[in-house]
Structures are given as C-alpha cells and as structure tokens.
Amino acid sequence: MSQDKNTFASGTNAAYIESMYEDYRKDPSSLDDSWQKFFEGYEFGLTAVVEPTGERREDAKVEAYINAYRRLGYLAAYLNPLDPKPEIPENLHVTSHELDHVDANRKFLTANFGTGEMTFAEITKKLQETYCGSIGPDFRDSNNVEEVVWLQQIMEAHNNKPSVSAESKKRILQKLGEAEALEHFLQTRYLGQKRFSVEGLDALIPLLDGMIDEAVNVGVHEITMGMAHRGRLNVLTHILKKPYERLLLEFEGQVFNSFDIEGDVKYHMGYAHDVETFSGKKVRIYLSPNPSHLEAINAPIAGFTRARQEHDEGSSEGILPIILHGDAAIIGQGVVAEVLNLSQLQHYGTGGTIHIITNNQIGFTTNPSAAKSCAFSSDISKMIRMPVLHVNADDPEAVAWVTKIAIAYRHKFKKDILIDLVGYRRYGHNETDEPSFTQPIMYKKIAEHPTVFQIYSKKLIAEGVVTEEESASYLSSVKELLNEAQKSVHTKGFVAHPTPAPAAFKDILAYRKPDRNEVMASVITHVSEAKLKELAQEILNIDKTFTPHPKIIRLLENRAKMMEGAGAVDWGFAELLAFASLADQKYPVRLSGQDCKRGTFSSRHAVLFDYETGKANELLQKKNWAPVNVINSPLSELGCMGFEFGYSVGNPNTLVLWEAQYGDFVNGAQILMDQFLVASEAKWQQTSGLVLLLPHGHEGAGPEHTSARPERFLQSCGNLNIQVCNVTTPAQMFHLLRRQILRNFRKPLVLMSPKSLLRHPKVISELKDFTSTTFKEFLDDTDLKSGSKAERLMMCTGKIYYELTELREKNPDFAHVPILRLEQLYPFPYEGLSELFQARYPQVREVIWVQEEPQNMGAWTFVRARIPRISDTIHKVDYVGRKNSGSTAEGSAKAHTAEQKRILEEAFALATAKTPQRLARK
Ligand SMILES: Cc1ncc(C[n+]2csc(CCOP(=O)(O)OP(=O)(O)O)c2C)c(N)n1
Ligand SMILES: [Mg+2]
C-alpha cells in the first residue's frame, strides 16, 4: 500500500478509487481509518437501494398500486353520462404493477388504506369504487400532505359512496323535478325564447341546494354567487327563490321591477334573498348580475365577497363564495387565472371559493378537443393545485357527496376547491339553435338519453323510497305552480311578493338615481387647519425604533415642512392627507395596484420599510382611524381592477381606489370598464364608487407609458354614469377624493393622474386650499386680473396647463391670454362655466382647445361639441394639439420635445393672431 493511497484527501480519481475499493474488499485494514469509513458508508448505501425481496417487495408494489389509483384513478372514473364507462388505463393494470401473479385472496397489510389488512381483490374493489366510480377525484397535485391525507380518508372511508337517507333522496328527486319541470314549461309556453336551459346538467339544482344546506350547517350565513347564462333561470327560481311570476313576466316581455333592477336580459339578472335551507335554517344568498362576457364576473364577485367578509361580518367563515363556470369558458378565459391567483393573497382571499364547472362537454358549437390543450377544463385550477372532484351529473347521489366534501374542505382548509359536474346539453347552445349541424353523433345520443329525473326516479322507485305517483307529483306540482303563476301574470299583471332584499344588503341594493343637481352640487370637503396638522403629525409620527432609508428621512422632513407657514403641500402628501382625513372620519380606504405602497413614481411612500430589518411600517394604519390598506397587487389588470370594482359594490362606505402602473395598462381591464364600470348602474342599478388612478401625460416616454386613453372613457359617458377628471393641484385631488365618499351616492371616478407633476415645483397647494375650499370642476385663470376684454381664451385639461403658463410667463405678448383648466370633464360643468363666462369673459368669441394628445384622442372630440354651449358669444372652437394618429405618442424623446414646443407656440400664435376673419368663421 503506497503512502498516497492512504491519504483520503488525494482520492479524487475514479479509477484510483476503484482500485482502493478492491483493496478494501480484500482487506479493510489495509486502508487508513478515513477510507475504511468511506467504504463502509458506500457499502451501506448499496444495500439500502437493493430491491426488496419476497413479502416486502410485494407489499411495496401493492402500496404503489394503491397510490397509483389515488393519483390517477379519476382517469377511469365513469364521468360522461353519454359514453360507456372507460377502460382502466394501462398504468393502473395489475400487470403494470407486476401484481398479475398475485392471488386475489392473498392478504396484504395496508397501513393507511381500508381496514389495514385486506385481500388483494378487496383492495382493487375498494380502489375502483372510490376512485373510478361516478366520482373522479384529482387531488394528488397538492403540495400539502395534510390536505391529501384528509381527502383520501374522507373519500376512502365509504368508498366515495356513503349511504343517503330516504329523506335526502326525496329532496334530491324533488329538486331534479323542479329543474326539469321549469325548463319544460318554458320550452312549451315560450317556444323560441332563449333561456340557456340547464337540462343535461339538472343535477346542478340539487347540488346547490345541498351545498347551501351543508354550508349553513358548518356556520355559513351568507352565500355570494357568480355565474354565467347556463341554468341561471333555474338557479334564480329554485335556489334564490325568485318568484315564478317575476320570471314569467320577463318572458312575457313586460316591464318588470325586480329590486328596481331593470335594463338587461333575463339571464343576466341578479337577485338577493333570504332562503330557508333543507334543514330549516336561514341563509342570505346574493347572485350578482353579470354580463355576457363569460368569466368576467369572477373578479367582481371575489371583491364583493371580500368586502362583505371584511367590513360587514369580519371573517371569511360565515360568507361563502360560489362561482359557476362553463367548461369552454373556464379554460379559455385568462381572467380565470388572474382571479385564482388572488385566492390566497392577504388582501384578496375569501377563505376559499367553491368552483363548479357546469360541464356539458361543449362550448356553443365547439368540441372540447378544440377548446383546450389539456385533458380537462378544470386543469386551469392546477395553477393553485386545488382539489378537483369530477362527478357524473347523472348520479345525483355522487353529486351530493362531492358537495359535502367541498364544503368540509373549504371549512377546514379555507382554500378553493372545484367540482367538475360532467353532463351534457340537451338542446342547442340556446333553444333556437340546431346542435346536430355540428355535433350530429352527440345529439343522436342525447335524443335517446333519459333525463336525470327519469333515471333517479326509476332508482328510487326500485328502492321503494318513492312511489310512481309520488315521483310524478314532483313534476306535476311544479307545473301547476307555473300554470298559476302564468295565469296570474296574464290576468293581474305582476303582484309584488313580499320578498324585499335582505336587510344586510340594504346599502348595496337600495337604489336612488341622483339627479344632475345633486351630482353637480358642491360638497363640504375641507378640514380645519388644526385637523390637517393633526393628521400630518399622525402620519409622520414614526416609532423611534424604526430606521428609515436615508433618503426617506429627507422625505419625512420635507413633508413636515409642508405644514409650516402658508404650507406647500405636494401631490403625494395631499393624497395621504385625504386618506387620513377619511380614515379619521371612520371611512376605510383601500388602495391597490401594482407597486402602490411606494408608488410607481416613488411619490407616495404610504408604507415605509425599515432600513435595518425590512419590516413594513404602514403610515396610514392608526389606532383611532378606520383601516387604510395600501396594497401591492399582483401583476394583473382585469382580475385586480375587477376585484376592486366588486369590493366597491360590496362596501359603499369604503373609498376604493385602483391604480394602474401607467394609465396605458388600464385597457387590460377593458371588459371591466365597458361591461361593469360605465354600465352597471344603467343595466343593473348597481352602483360603485371605485376610483381609477391612471397616470397620464405626454412626457417623451414613447407610445406606451403615456396615455390612459381618456377619449375612451369620455365616449362611454352618458346619463351621469361616471365622472372623468384630470386635476392639476394637490388640493383639488384632496377634495375630489373626499367628495367621492362624503356624498350620499356613488359614481365611479376615472382620474387621469400625474407623473411629472408629482415633482413639479408649481404643483403644490397652500394650507388654505385644504381648509377653506372645495373641489372645483374647472379652475379660472386667477393669474389674470380681468378677463372682461378677452375675445379668445384657451381651455385645456391636465399637465399642459403648466407648460402653457410657463411660456406665457416668458412672453409679455401672451400675458393677456386667459387659460382655463377643465378639471372635471364629465359631467361637463356647463352651469359653472356659463356663469364664469358671463361674469369674467363676456366677450369671448373663440375658444382654443389645447391638448397634448393626438386629435383623435384626448378630450377634443368630447369638448368640441360642448364648449359652444357654455356661452352664446362663443362662435368658434379651435384645436391645437397633435395631429390624428394611430399611436398615442412619438417614439423618440427628441421628437416629443419638438412637438410639445410646437403645440405651445401654435396655441399662443392662434390666441394672439390679429386675423379678425378667423374670428368671424364659425
Ligand atoms: C367573452 C365571451 N366570448 C364569447 C362569448 C360568446 N359565447 C357565449 S356562450 C359561449 C360558449 C360557452 O361555452 P361554455 O363555457 O362551455 O358554456 P355553456 O354555454 O356550454 O354552458 C360563447 C362562445 C361570450 N359570451 N363571452
Ligand atoms: Mg359548455
């Protein structure tokens, strides 16, 4: 043995180690201690991976066999009512597990399965019953062992088929009867009217009925629901107990009044009601109105639920959200992923949502194979690894059982769970559609397929649970009620039922449309100087143990200085003061968006982070104030803005703001704006006070990061639906935010918010601006002593005002040109402007609208028709700004600067031109 062979540290060469190992095997003592230990360990490792032999080897295989079923058994489950039960896939075959030689009667120890000792035949039977029957659970992707074990135990305890009482069976049959009878009635009496029948998924009705009962039994007292068109009329009448008369009136096409909600098609209508459960308990149910845009409701209903949980009830346990999805929509629409991503976040979670896919295996005319790249529509839920319970909709007892599991899971783990209810669609997409054009084979099968009511009643009759007469009465009694309801509608019109909205929803559902006077009335929003200083002190009162970032120390000192003398409060601080003042008056504030805590432009700093520990210090969370939550949101627009919209509906007394990183990105939430924000009041009399903060302005950043596209919002303005503002001083911002919550009605507020103005030396407000005034829809040009002689003036909105005044200051020839700022574009302040023109500018004949946006964007097309209505003296409205363009702004900063200069110069050239003929032109 050479010396170096005995040196452990030198052994780095494989061939060399091999020769050492040979030496070791011949005589271990020929090596030094360190090598002996090394090879001892090596040999131990070898024995550890040696294949088990005999009994042990078989037990391990059986365990793997059991786990394979737990993981993949759902692939062999009997889920599709239209097809025969699928074959057991190869990877569950005994041969695949090398167990084909095992005697069926041979016993195995099954530590965590069944009775602990079972024959191989018993094991296989139990596995197939539990995992490959009418229920196919897909739950093993979870990375939480406790959940997996819990689900296994609950499902394996009764082979996923616990016994059902006769009473419950009858209830299920009754609910199936209601579902079927209503659809039949509507089909025969209102032929050709769209109703998006539930048939083929009739089990949805007993499912929801059972779910609500089960939920109330574990402490739920309120249920919030979002769903699209499929089966909605059945859910409204049989789950929310919307009276048949109300529904039939809608089919008759008469004007109806359902919680004063009008203005949308019947399968988009919401409802709210106190309902008695099967066990005789009370529960409030709220079904949100929704647009056609499939899945868009997910975000608002999540926010609505969170608002209810946070401020009305204080916990997530008592309020359960249920969302229904179409099988094509859930996998196709991106908002689903956005909202799932919110489900476990601190400021967005709702203690677990129960998702139900009404899976009719078709989307309009599109087959599943064309609708998704994954095996199941439910696979989108894998992103948060929630358990999925696939279930055959023709087996209502299996459906009832997964419902119980779902409620128990949500109650225990406070997380989302999904039921994939697999059925079919008995008719076309709607009842006027011919489905066999596109799915001839499927529809031949459907035509021959009995209804689930028929299947289940046959089963219960055979079991002796109901008689044939009883079963038939479940259908006939509903038909009778519907007949009576129709008669009553025909003869008496609608007689209002005593079914007012639940008291808890009073704030949300009580609706009164404010008239223009109310909307335009000024609101007392100022606070006293003492209060302002007290609020500032509170914000700046930071614990001595907190170490601010060195640059933040300066910011805090600057903020303190803003309160000295006459005051010079900047935008960031004005905003915090507005929030603080509302919180002090016990109005909670919720501001969320990407990087909101600091603010995209580093101007807000509502939350500071300890320079030593990284610990957050929420400057606006104070003991005696209502909560002010400034929240960094995930990178989502539709999901997050939708959530905030829902939150604002669910809690009208919280100031809710959503901030876009830059205004451009708001169009990621276009559905939310078009279908909800600007229209919800008109369609559903659903009001929201949501504030959108949309950083906007041409600053040379390029086509993106420039425009929040105010023109789109302005085009959507009508009948006082929203407010669109672009304010230019910190105090205006302060008053506007306060006005939003201090009025006794709610309207969304879309605010073009500043970027460079956040740090502009002129963009400051004095203390008196906060303590003695209120929000002004426009700002007169107070720099000019008198405007009485002016024949031309400029009007603008937003940041360009500061650029115009800067140029005016430099050039004495421009000194007489008045520049008015429109701070609120909609509702357009005709009244105030008219008064102003009469008093200050009685001779104005020409108004020059100056904007930095291209002519087809910005406010131009909106204001050009409105400005002449301010005063009879106005004969002409001129435009100065960028020319029409497909893109919002120049790509180069240099081109931007040149264009900005041109606009300013052209505006003054026009305002000071000595060309009377121009003025004469109309
Ligand atoms: C966002 C959106 N895109 C398209 C449509 C048009 N549309 C209405 S229903 C439907 C098919 C929906 O299929 P699925 O989600 O499976 O629901 P089902 O009607 O089968 O219950 C389509 C494409 C829509 N309503 N919303
Ligand atoms: Mg479908």
Side-chain angles (χ1 to χ4, degrees), residues 4 40 209 241 257 288 386 502 545 573 615 645 669 742 747 763 765 775 812 870 879 885 897 921:
D4 60 341
E40 266 170 36
D209 182 62
K241 306 284 161 49
N257 193 332
S288 172
M386 72 169 93
T545 59
F573 202 37
K615 206 167 157 246
F645 175 83
L742 294 177
K747 296 272 175 197
V763 184
S765 296
F775 177 69
I870 295 170
Y879 169 82
S885 170
T897 309
R921 245 190 301 135

Side-chain angles (χ1 to χ4, degrees), residues 229-230 292-294 326-329 333 358 360 362-364 429:
H229 53 291
R230 182 70 53 208
S292 261
H293 294 58
L294 300 162
D327 56 306
Q333 299 279 288
T358 47
N360 50 21
I362 194 163
F364 211 141
H429 173 61

Side-chain angles (χ1 to χ4, degrees), residues 313-326:
E313 307 292 342
S315 97
S316 64
E317 299 220 340
I319 300 183
L320 164 71
I322 301 176
I323 302 184
L324 273 65
H325 311 264

Side-chain angles (χ1 to χ4, degrees), residues 298-419:
N298 294 8
I301 200 65
F304 180 90
T305 307
R306 174 74 186 212
R308 298 283 306 149
Q309 291 176 343
E310 238 175 51
H311 293 295
D312 295 280
E313 307 292 342
S315 97
S316 64
E317 299 220 340
I319 300 183
L320 164 71
I322 301 176
I323 302 184
L324 273 65
H325 311 264
D327 56 306
I330 191 174
I331 192 66
Q333 299 279 288
V335 70
V336 174
E338 291 188 30
V339 179
L340 289 181
N341 191 39
L342 301 180
S343 65
Q344 287 297 311
L345 298 180
Q346 187 194 354
H347 291 284
Y348 297 88
T350 51
T353 297
I354 298 197
H355 301 268
I356 300 165
I357 303 183
T358 47
N359 188 346
N360 50 21
Q361 309 184 69
I362 194 163
F364 211 141
T365 67
T366 301
N367 285 327
S369 58
K372 55 190 165 53
S373 284
C374 43
F376 294 86
S377 291
S378 55
D379 283 356
I380 182 67
S381 71
K382 296 287 173 197
M383 65 174 279
I384 57 165
R385 298 174 187 243
M386 72 169 93
V388 175
L389 304 169
H390 304 283
V391 63
N392 187 322
D394 265 4
D395 185 345
E397 287 179 18
V399 173
W401 174 233
V402 296
T403 301
K404 286 197 165 95
I405 299 175
I407 290 292
Y409 175 88
R410 192 256 178 187
H411 186 64
K412 183 164 176 59
F413 296 104
K414 322 237 172 304
K415 289 168 80 176
D416 290 23
I417 185 164
L418 190 151
I419 296 174

